Amino acid sequence: MIIVWSDEARKTYDYTIDELIDKWEIEIAIDFEEKTNALLDHLKEYKKFCPPSKKKRLRKCVIHKNTSLIYKINKNSIELVTFIDNHTEHRY
């Protein structure tokens, strides 16, 4: 399976990395990046690795207690929809 990043996913991922660097240390951002990459490797092998979210056809992976990834499974790809802050109210 191939991984496809939506514009929203790229934007929210970059924002998360920038926030980690600004508020914490570079090592925290690197750790988040490594956890995200490991998760994406799992998704390539097991597309249903994470449980379904509240919204139909979407799945939610907790990367860290503060951040989750929302994705959907398409016929030939896994589309990364967005990264969300777990402490805010969201529709996923």
Side-chain angles (χ1 to χ4, degrees):
M1 273 266 148
I2 63 166
I3 303 286
V4 176
W5 289 69
S6 70
D7 290 341
E8 179 70 13
R10 177 56 60 197
K11 178 180 155 190
T12 53
Y13 178 79
D14 289 345
Y15 176 81
T16 301
I17 294 292
D18 290 344
E19 285 292 302
L20 291 172
I21 292 170
D22 287 345
K23 293 182 179 179
W24 302 95
E25 300 172 356
I26 189 76
E27 289 79 14
I28 302 296
I30 291 169
D31 182 60
F32 177 78
E33 188 173 49
E34 289 171 351
K35 287 180 180 179
T36 301
N37 288 334
L39 173 61
L40 297 181
D41 287 341
H42 286 300
L43 290 177
K44 287 177 186 175
E45 296 290 320
Y46 310 102
K47 61 185 176 187
K48 294 183 179 179
F49 184 71
C50 299
S53 73
K54 295 176 186 175
K55 270 199 145 184
K56 195 175 186 179
R57 295 194 48 210
L58 296 179
R59 293 185 166 274
K60 179 180 177 182
C61 304
V62 177
I63 299 171
H64 179 272
K65 66 180 181 178
N66 298 324
T67 308
S68 291
L69 165 65
I70 305 296
Y71 74 98
K72 66 181 176 180
I73 302 168
N74 296 322
K75 187 175 182 177
N76 296 315
S77 67
I78 295 169
E79 180 183 347
L80 307 185
V81 175
T82 191
F83 290 80
I84 59 171
D85 181 341
N86 292 331
H87 299 293
T88 62
E89 192 172 319
H90 44 75
R91 61 188 190 277
Y92 301 100

